[in-house]
Amino acid sequence: MGISLGSNRYGKAENRVVRIYRDTPRHTIRDLNVSTALRGDFARAHTDGDQSDVLPTDTQKNVAFALAKEVGVPSPEEYAVALARHLVGAVPRATGAQVRVEEQAWDRIPVEGVDGGHDHGFVRRGTETRTVVVTVSGRDADQRTWVVSGLEDLTVLKSTGSEFRGFLTDGYTTLEETTDRVLATSLTARWRWEDPGGVAFDEAYDAVRATLLSTFATTYSRALQETLYAMGRAALETDPRLAEIRFSAPNKHHFLYDLARFGIDNDGEVFHAADRPYGLIEASAVRDEASDPGEAWTDVRSFL
Amino acid sequence: MGISLGSNRYGKAENRVVRIYRDTPRHTIRDLNVSTALRGDFARAHTDGDQSDVLPTDTQKNVAFALAKEVGVPSPEEYAVALARHLVGAVPRATGAQVRVEEQAWDRIPVEGVDGGHDHGFVRRGTETRTVVVTVSGRDADQRTWVVSGLEDLTVLKSTGSEFRGFLTDGYTTLEETTDRVLATSLTARWRWEDPGGVAFDEAYDAVRATLLSTFATTYSRALQETLYAMGRAALETDPRLAEIRFSAPNKHHFLYDLARFGIDNDGEVFHAADRPYGLIEASAVRDEASDPGEAWTDVRSFL
Amino acid sequence: MGISLGSNRYGKAENRVVRIYRDTPRHTIRDLNVSTALRGDFARAHTDGDQSDVLPTDTQKNVAFALAKEVGVPSPEEYAVALARHLVGAVPRATGAQVRVEEQAWDRIPVEGVDGGHDHGFVRRGTETRTVVVTVSGRDADQRTWVVSGLEDLTVLKSTGSEFRGFLTDGYTTLEETTDRVLATSLTARWRWEDPGGVAFDEAYDAVRATLLSTFATTYSRALQETLYAMGRAALETDPRLAEIRFSAPNKHHFLYDLARFGIDNDGEVFHAADRPYGLIEASAVRDEASDPGEAWTDVRSFL
Amino acid sequence: MGISLGSNRYGKAENRVVRIYRDTPRHTIRDLNVSTALRGDFARAHTDGDQSDVLPTDTQKNVAFALAKEVGVPSPEEYAVALARHLVGAVPRATGAQVRVEEQAWDRIPVEGVDGGHDHGFVRRGTETRTVVVTVSGRDADQRTWVVSGLEDLTVLKSTGSEFRGFLTDGYTTLEETTDRVLATSLTARWRWEDPGGVAFDEAYDAVRATLLSTFATTYSRALQETLYAMGRAALETDPRLAEIRFSAPNKHHFLYDLARFGIDNDGEVFHAADRPYGLIEASAVRDEASDPGEAWTDVRSFL
């Protein structure tokens, strides 16, 4: 009875790379959390303890910081592509690499008399985390590159314009129908680029984000599923270079607090925001002529 | 050898009270995390298991939600004062109450054609948490009320305009002096009102926050201590009703990454943002004629 | 240009189900965090807001609690299988279900004069979280069931018996070789059962866990990769019913603190335990005659 | 109108110091999280940016690691006392220091044929965090030292033997009385030593912990208040050197799930474990002849 090494990969996770551009007095900042992972034929490291094919994760960390200067961070996507390709190139036994980046945005601090905020004083924006997953497979002419952009923890809420009724019931159903409820979620979205070449990723991010937000706000919701799919369609319609978009959205329940027990009306005004459990809705929208996703979604955390 | 009951208090922590104002189509939202604590003579509950003096924490929860409707949340401070006074009034054995509130801000979602954003679609702001601690002591004519407003986790960064040198050294000192470093902190601040009566707390909050931010940005820093004290002075000068302000500020270290090892210049451009350990600086500014703080700071978490 | 609904699923996440067996004075407790997800043809909910095919997540929650009594929790695996099958049966449009369970263990509190600890007083064990992912696909005679058991956050450390040397180097390599280091990880492991029928899951869990621990302790380590693979082989050899086992293991770096600067020897005695970044090693061991994993690993969080 | 510097302190927080004793093949490990804070006359650093009185937090970090070797960690208490006294001695302007330590326990991994577990393979225990707060005030002959030992997050549960009834009610009371409920808490306890000199802290810790646990298990509970006070009394009776003990204990509610709606009995068998809100009970027991606590509790996080 034999036992063999199965799939494996390794890298350095959560390098906290902060890149400041200070070529002019008006600085800019890119605040990244960078994780790398290499795939390939590293069997000897597992079976014989032979590290001669293994570029240490410590070296991968050094490269992650070095490329922040050598390549820079024009966008987290471009930085991640460069880093992934560099790592495959540096490791003969590697067959592919994945680089994940999470970016925190900083705003300029408003100060009197300075249009658009302070030159080198910043406050963390705090709303959502911007994400990138770049997967590179193969080498040289055969190399393929997939770019998935996205965001995490964009927390949104509608205080009306949401219902939930007409659902399937059985002997375990106790939920009452509602024609007016609070709908809230902490959105995770990821969108795959059909061809990442030439995309202005920062502008594209802002546009997709704005579309997701305004669609959430302006679409009457008969279920979180319907809202997500409307958001996905709107995003794909906004930018024809998007092949698909996927969502993971906890339904953050806001339960109307029963104040009638105390003789108090509560017509949609006082809610208990519950932590757990929560509904978890995952959905996606795909362009009909989209290419096969290949390895774009391989090992992407908690996704469809 | 005797053993006695020492100090004690009890309450319901982290009630997630969400209050929506929907009297017009343009809704507003107050998103609170409310904790209550009662002090008093509750010895029998501890020594004899006799609960007859004890208003259950479950009832305190009901009151926290009920007052969100009956009193409303014109500001978290006014809501907290009303709740604290109600609880003391409801419990004959209580000698005092403390109510803590944390508030998350929501912004209106920007949509085309609607000035100032959507009527009932919101996105969580995410920057900092606004805090309130109200302490009430005594009853009726003798009742005293202290209000401490504040904020937590306002994360700010200066990419230049900060030095650290001329410090005390000894045989364990290895830190090198620097004349240009990144200064970053996740600010906690709390300010005590000399007389909370008649304060427009929401406007006052915005003003203190703006002063803290702009002072951080525009003050050259020779140490985080100096920056904090400058921020404190500026806040007290902005609003004469403030008696004092206290800060707790982790020095979130950004270490220049050593790229010279790879033949790469790094003149303040690429940093490693470290998690732990961090410097922790606590400081306060007090108006000279400020009243005695009394119980304002009793049991306030992790503060001077 | 068309856009279509892509893959999707929905359920209730993180139901905190606590089941107490109290048929005798010696109680037992199962403390679960249960998440459900349904797949199927729910297109109308997304495209038309029509919920008639959708069993609410609230009902799934009710079922999760009800089955804790009706089926009970002989093991988290058996409970999860019953819950997943029930949900597919309850929803005509469902084509499959996944149930994830995390279990916290409780130990009896030691008391004088009671062998094996108190009858109904417990202390949370705290070491690791036990996990189960059950995936059910299809209905009736065609229904397939996969069971993946596992653990998370089993934190282990070797204070010697670990080296790292002979690795690939390049111009970005600064790591020095070491013949004696601290090796620590917070282990996540998941093992797939070839045929879950008839397995005594609680006993099997204890055996796999004990094998993983003792192999970690007694195997000289030339890399975390080698250690993981040795642990995987040992687990598969211990229980022939296991088809494969997969690991995700952060290399929790312990850096020797440089005390020579102060004239103090530090021969492997004082370390700084770093948070981020960390190496992240993922590896797996597979029995040669193992069946195809089918959907066993679909949507399993952050795994190979 | 003048503004002055108020109270202030500074230090290095969360130094992750791991000390391994390897003088024999049977290693032992002390895994600490160490925070320092200095008080004194540091006004010039705040008002003039003059650091000449300030020993950098970076130096404090170096000392924290160096003393782990020079003094060692016979117990976290003894290490903390040495560190606090060293820091006051090293900084002429310091009037006092506080050192906080959190310790994680590690158990030896059980292996066949080795009594008491492996020599250098460890698994993190995970139950609770052991804590120490040492406060030193003054210098030389006038120096005072207070030691407060404790634990955090010791999570305990009783599946019966707990009631809650006979409580005060008013118009907002909806809670029903219960004569049999689940009682669970995640205990924080801190005990002050009358005279820390000569205490064998590790043994004393184990004894206090065991007393707290067994008292929780064996005492019938008419309220969490009564249980805490009984635990406190028992601890003080166990060790006459304890002056007082203080508790902070969230009442982790376990709500009986209403299964009657589905025709299922639920006689104390299936519970929903709620996250928020939770009752928060704080209480203390004091020996009648205890000395004044002085500065022992100053700045101790979230305590009475």
Side-chain angles (χ1 to χ4, degrees):
Chain A
M1 180 190 79
I3 293 169
S4 306
L5 179 67
S7 62
N8 59 86
R9 56 177 188 159
Y10 81 103
K12 191 67 115 193
E14 302 208 37
N15 298 282
R16 289 283 292 106
V17 178
V18 175
R19 172 66 158 101
I20 294 173
Y21 286 92
R22 47 194 304 160
D23 308 298
T24 74
R26 197 157 180 82
H27 293 185
T28 58
I29 183 172
R30 310 261 8 187
D31 183 348
L32 310 179
N33 192 22
V34 180
S35 298
T36 66
L38 284 172
R39 288 185 174 280
D41 177 7
F42 303 112
R44 290 190 298 170
H46 295 81
T47 57
D48 302 308
D50 177 344
Q51 309 306 318
S52 56
D53 302 325
V54 172
L55 191 72
T57 67
D58 187 78
T59 304
Q60 297 182 39
K61 174 184 70 173
N62 283 341
V63 174
F65 282 92
L67 292 201
K69 168 66 178 167
E70 293 192 294
V71 172
V73 188
S75 70
E77 283 86 351
E78 289 160 277
Y79 164 80
V81 167
L83 179 53
R85 289 179 178 162
H86 176 102
L87 290 173
V88 172
V91 181
R93 291 282 190 163
T95 57
Q98 189 171 83
V99 172
R100 309 180 196 202
V101 179
E102 301 160 4
E103 184 179 36
Q104 296 296 326
W106 293 82
D107 290 318
R108 293 181 188 283
I109 290 176
V111 288
E112 263 196 23
V114 184
D115 236 33
H118 197 266
D119 271 358
H120 60 260
F122 301 90
V123 56
R124 183 169 280 187
R125 189 176 298 163
T127 42
E128 82 275 11
T129 301
R130 178 172 166 183
T131 65
V132 175
V133 181
V134 165
T135 306
V136 164
S137 182
R139 359 186 107 249
D140 307 322
D142 293 335
Q143 192 167 64
R144 291 281 320 263
T145 300
W146 294 272
V147 176
V148 173
S149 302
L151 54 79
E152 286 179 2
D153 291 333
L154 183 67
T155 305
V156 289
L157 179 150
K158 298 178 67 159
S159 53
T160 190
S162 166
E163 66 173 47
F164 191 60
R165 59 196 178 83
F167 44 74
L168 185 65
T169 62
D170 67 10
Y172 291 101
T173 300
T174 56
L175 186 71
E176 294 184 22
E177 299 197 333
T178 174
T179 58
D180 189 8
R181 64 171 183 173
V182 167
L183 180 69
T185 187
S186 174
L187 190 70
T188 295
R190 297 190 195 267
W191 47 93
R192 173 167 64 94
W193 295 98
E194 187 59 60
D195 175 5
V199 174
F201 289 104
D202 286 0
E203 289 80 350
Y205 178 84
D206 291 341
V208 171
R209 182 186 186 276
T211 297
L212 295 177
L213 280 178
S214 65
T215 308
F216 175 82
T218 57
T219 305
Y220 184 83
S221 174
R222 288 173 293 191
L224 184 47
Q225 281 93 327
E226 186 186 25
T227 300
L228 290 177
Y229 186 54
M231 293 163 76
R233 276 202 327 262
L236 296 192
E237 285 163 1
T238 299
D239 195 323
R241 298 165 299 181
L242 298 178
E244 58 173 323
I245 184 166
R246 302 186 182 188
F247 299 102
S248 177
N251 194 339
K252 295 170 76 79
H253 303 306
H254 285 66
F255 295 114
L256 199 68
Y257 207 81
D258 179 5
L259 300 179
R261 299 173 293 175
F262 320 121
I264 304 171
D265 279 342
N266 184 11
D267 190 14
E269 293 181 297
V270 178
F271 295 87
H272 166 61
D275 294 311
R276 294 190 294 183
Y278 49 90
L280 183 58
I281 313 300
E282 296 169 277
S284 55
V286 188
R287 198 178 303 280
D288 291 346
E289 66 268 33
S291 64
D292 183 87
E295 301 176 30
W297 299 99
T298 304
D299 301 329
V300 176
R301 183 180 297 266
S302 95
F303 248 73
L304 292 164
Chain B
M1 181 188 77
I3 292 168
S4 304
L5 179 66
S7 64
N8 60 86
R9 58 179 187 158
Y10 81 104
K12 191 68 116 192
E14 301 207 37
N15 298 282
R16 289 283 292 106
V17 178
V18 175
R19 173 66 157 99
I20 293 172
Y21 287 90
R22 48 194 302 161
D23 308 298
T24 73
R26 196 154 181 83
H27 292 185
T28 58
I29 182 171
R30 308 263 6 188
D31 182 348
L32 311 179
N33 192 22
V34 180
S35 298
T36 66
L38 285 171
R39 287 185 174 281
D41 178 8
F42 303 112
R44 291 191 296 173
H46 295 82
T47 57
D48 301 308
D50 177 345
Q51 308 307 316
S52 56
D53 302 325
V54 172
L55 190 72
T57 66
D58 187 79
T59 304
Q60 298 181 39
K61 174 184 71 173
N62 283 341
V63 173
F65 282 92
L67 293 203
K69 168 67 177 165
E70 292 192 293
V71 172
V73 188
S75 70
E77 284 86 352
E78 290 160 276
Y79 164 81
V81 168
L83 179 54
R85 289 180 177 164
H86 176 103
L87 290 174
V88 172
V91 180
R93 292 280 190 164
T95 57
Q98 189 171 83
V99 172
R100 309 181 197 201
V101 179
E102 300 160 4
E103 184 179 36
Q104 296 296 327
W106 294 81
D107 289 317
R108 293 181 187 282
I109 290 176
V111 288
E112 263 195 25
V114 184
D115 236 31
H118 197 266
D119 271 357
H120 60 262
F122 301 90
V123 57
R124 183 169 281 186
R125 188 175 301 163
T127 42
E128 83 275 10
T129 301
R130 178 172 166 181
T131 65
V132 176
V133 181
V134 166
T135 307
V136 164
S137 181
R139 359 186 108 250
D140 308 323
D142 292 335
Q143 193 167 65
R144 292 280 320 265
T145 300
W146 294 273
V147 176
V148 174
S149 302
L151 54 79
E152 285 178 1
D153 291 333
L154 182 66
T155 305
V156 290
L157 180 150
K158 297 179 69 158
S159 54
T160 189
S162 166
E163 66 172 46
F164 190 60
R165 56 194 180 85
F167 42 76
L168 185 65
T169 61
D170 67 9
Y172 291 102
T173 300
T174 55
L175 186 71
E176 295 183 20
E177 300 198 333
T178 174
T179 57
D180 190 7
R181 63 171 184 174
V182 167
L183 180 69
T185 187
S186 174
L187 190 71
T188 296
R190 298 190 194 268
W191 47 93
R192 173 168 64 93
W193 296 97
E194 188 59 59
D195 174 5
V199 175
F201 289 104
D202 286 1
E203 288 81 349
Y205 178 83
D206 291 341
V208 172
R209 180 186 188 277
T211 297
L212 295 177
L213 281 177
S214 65
T215 307
F216 174 82
T218 59
T219 305
Y220 184 82
S221 174
R222 287 173 294 189
L224 185 46
Q225 281 93 329
E226 186 187 26
T227 300
L228 290 178
Y229 185 55
M231 293 163 75
R233 276 203 326 263
L236 296 193
E237 284 163 4
T238 299
D239 195 323
R241 299 165 298 183
L242 298 178
E244 58 173 323
I245 183 166
R246 302 186 182 188
F247 299 102
S248 177
N251 194 338
K252 295 169 76 79
H253 304 306
H254 286 65
F255 297 114
L256 198 68
Y257 207 80
D258 179 5
L259 300 180
R261 299 174 292 176
F262 320 122
I264 304 172
D265 278 342
N266 185 12
D267 189 15
E269 294 181 295
V270 178
F271 296 86
H272 166 60
D275 294 311
R276 294 191 293 185
Y278 49 89
L280 184 56
I281 314 299
E282 297 169 278
S284 54
V286 188
R287 199 179 303 280
D288 292 344
E289 65 270 33
S291 65
D292 183 89
E295 301 176 30
W297 299 99
T298 304
D299 301 329
V300 175
R301 183 180 297 264
S302 96
F303 248 73
L304 293 165
Chain C
M1 180 190 78
I3 293 169
S4 305
L5 179 67
S7 64
N8 59 86
R9 57 179 188 157
Y10 80 104
K12 191 67 118 194
E14 302 207 37
N15 299 281
R16 289 283 292 107
V17 178
V18 175
R19 173 65 157 99
I20 294 172
Y21 287 90
R22 48 194 302 161
D23 309 297
T24 74
R26 197 157 180 81
H27 293 185
T28 58
I29 182 173
R30 309 264 4 190
D31 182 349
L32 310 180
N33 192 23
V34 180
S35 298
T36 66
L38 285 171
R39 286 184 174 280
D41 177 8
F42 303 112
R44 289 191 298 172
H46 295 81
T47 56
D48 301 308
D50 176 345
Q51 309 307 317
S52 56
D53 302 326
V54 172
L55 190 73
T57 67
D58 187 79
T59 304
Q60 297 181 40
K61 174 184 70 172
N62 283 341
V63 173
F65 282 92
L67 293 202
K69 169 66 176 168
E70 293 191 295
V71 172
V73 188
S75 70
E77 283 86 351
E78 290 160 278
Y79 164 81
V81 167
L83 178 53
R85 289 178 178 163
H86 175 103
L87 290 173
V88 171
V91 180
R93 292 281 191 163
T95 56
Q98 189 171 82
V99 172
R100 307 180 197 202
V101 179
E102 300 160 4
E103 183 179 36
Q104 296 296 326
W106 294 81
D107 289 318
R108 293 181 188 283
I109 290 175
V111 288
E112 263 196 23
V114 184
D115 237 31
H118 197 266
D119 272 357
H120 60 262
F122 300 90
V123 56
R124 182 169 282 188
R125 188 176 300 163
T127 42
E128 83 274 11
T129 301
R130 178 172 167 183
T131 64
V132 176
V133 181
V134 166
T135 307
V136 164
S137 181
R139 357 185 109 251
D140 308 323
D142 292 335
Q143 193 166 66
R144 291 280 320 264
T145 301
W146 294 272
V147 176
V148 173
S149 302
L151 54 80
E152 286 178 2
D153 291 333
L154 183 66
T155 305
V156 290
L157 179 151
K158 297 178 69 159
S159 53
T160 189
S162 167
E163 66 173 45
F164 190 61
R165 56 195 181 85
F167 43 76
L168 185 64
T169 62
D170 66 11
Y172 292 101
T173 300
T174 57
L175 186 71
E176 293 183 21
E177 300 198 332
T178 173
T179 58
D180 189 7
R181 62 171 185 175
V182 167
L183 180 68
T185 188
S186 174
L187 191 71
T188 295
R190 297 189 194 268
W191 47 92
R192 173 167 64 95
W193 296 98
E194 186 60 59
D195 173 6
V199 175
F201 289 103
D202 285 0
E203 289 80 350
Y205 178 84
D206 291 342
V208 172
R209 181 186 187 277
T211 297
L212 296 177
L213 280 177
S214 66
T215 307
F216 174 83
T218 58
T219 306
Y220 183 83
S221 174
R222 286 173 293 189
L224 185 46
Q225 280 93 329
E226 187 186 26
T227 301
L228 290 178
Y229 185 55
M231 293 163 76
R233 277 201 327 262
L236 297 193
E237 285 164 1
T238 299
D239 194 322
R241 299 165 299 182
L242 298 178
E244 57 173 324
I245 183 166
R246 302 186 181 188
F247 299 102
S248 177
N251 193 339
K252 296 169 77 79
H253 304 306
H254 285 66
F255 296 114
L256 198 68
Y257 206 81
D258 178 5
L259 299 180
R261 300 174 292 175
F262 321 121
I264 305 171
D265 278 343
N266 184 12
D267 189 14
E269 294 181 296
V270 178
F271 296 87
H272 166 61
D275 295 312
R276 294 191 292 184
Y278 48 89
L280 183 57
I281 314 300
E282 297 169 278
S284 55
V286 188
R287 199 178 302 280
D288 292 345
E289 66 268 34
S291 65
D292 183 88
E295 301 175 29
W297 299 100
T298 304
D299 302 329
V300 175
R301 184 181 296 266
S302 96
F303 248 71
L304 292 165
Chain D
M1 180 189 80
I3 294 169
S4 305
L5 180 67
S7 63
N8 60 86
R9 56 177 187 160
Y10 81 103
K12 191 68 116 193
E14 302 207 38
N15 297 282
R16 289 283 292 107
V17 178
V18 175
R19 173 65 158 100
I20 293 173
Y21 287 91
R22 46 194 304 161
D23 309 297
T24 73
R26 196 156 181 82
H27 293 185
T28 58
I29 183 172
R30 310 264 4 188
D31 183 348
L32 311 180
N33 192 22
V34 180
S35 299
T36 66
L38 284 172
R39 287 185 175 280
D41 178 7
F42 302 112
R44 290 191 297 171
H46 295 81
T47 57
D48 301 308
D50 177 344
Q51 309 306 317
S52 56
D53 301 326
V54 172
L55 190 73
T57 66
D58 187 78
T59 304
Q60 297 181 39
K61 174 184 71 172
N62 282 341
V63 174
F65 282 92
L67 292 201
K69 169 66 178 167
E70 292 191 294
V71 173
V73 189
S75 69
E77 284 86 351
E78 289 160 279
Y79 164 81
V81 167
L83 179 53
R85 289 179 179 163
H86 176 103
L87 290 173
V88 171
V91 181
R93 292 280 191 165
T95 57
Q98 190 171 82
V99 172
R100 308 181 197 201
V101 179
E102 301 160 3
E103 183 179 37
Q104 296 296 327
W106 294 83
D107 290 318
R108 292 180 189 284
I109 290 176
V111 288
E112 263 194 25
V114 184
D115 236 32
H118 196 267
D119 271 357
H120 60 262
F122 301 90
V123 57
R124 184 168 280 186
R125 190 176 298 160
T127 41
E128 83 275 10
T129 301
R130 179 172 167 183
T131 65
V132 175
V133 181
V134 166
T135 307
V136 164
S137 181
R139 0 186 106 248
D140 307 323
D142 292 336
Q143 193 167 64
R144 292 277 323 262
T145 301
W146 294 271
V147 176
V148 173
S149 302
L151 54 79
E152 285 178 2
D153 292 333
L154 183 65
T155 305
V156 290
L157 179 150
K158 298 179 68 158
S159 54
T160 189
S162 166
E163 66 173 45
F164 190 59
R165 58 195 179 84
F167 44 76
L168 185 65
T169 61
D170 66 10
Y172 291 101
T173 300
T174 56
L175 186 71
E176 294 184 21
E177 299 197 334
T178 173
T179 57
D180 190 7
R181 64 171 183 173
V182 168
L183 180 68
T185 187
S186 174
L187 190 70
T188 295
R190 297 191 195 266
W191 47 93
R192 173 167 64 94
W193 295 97
E194 187 60 60
D195 174 6
V199 174
F201 289 104
D202 285 2
E203 290 79 351
Y205 178 84
D206 290 343
V208 172
R209 181 186 187 277
T211 297
L212 295 177
L213 281 177
S214 67
T215 307
F216 174 83
T218 59
T219 306
Y220 184 82
S221 174
R222 287 173 293 191
L224 185 46
Q225 281 93 327
E226 186 186 26
T227 299
L228 289 178
Y229 185 55
M231 292 162 76
R233 276 203 328 262
L236 296 192
E237 285 163 2
T238 299
D239 194 324
R241 299 165 299 182
L242 298 178
E244 58 173 323
I245 185 167
R246 303 185 182 189
F247 299 102
S248 177
N251 193 339
K252 296 169 76 79
H253 305 305
H254 285 66
F255 296 114
L256 198 68
Y257 207 81
D258 179 6
L259 299 180
R261 299 174 292 175
F262 321 121
I264 304 171
D265 279 343
N266 183 12
D267 189 14
E269 293 181 298
V270 179
F271 295 87
H272 166 61
D275 294 310
R276 294 192 295 184
Y278 49 90
L280 182 58
I281 314 299
E282 297 168 277
S284 55
V286 188
R287 198 178 303 279
D288 292 345
E289 66 268 31
S291 65
D292 183 87
E295 302 176 29
W297 299 99
T298 304
D299 302 329
V300 176
R301 185 180 296 265
S302 96
F303 248 72
L304 291 166

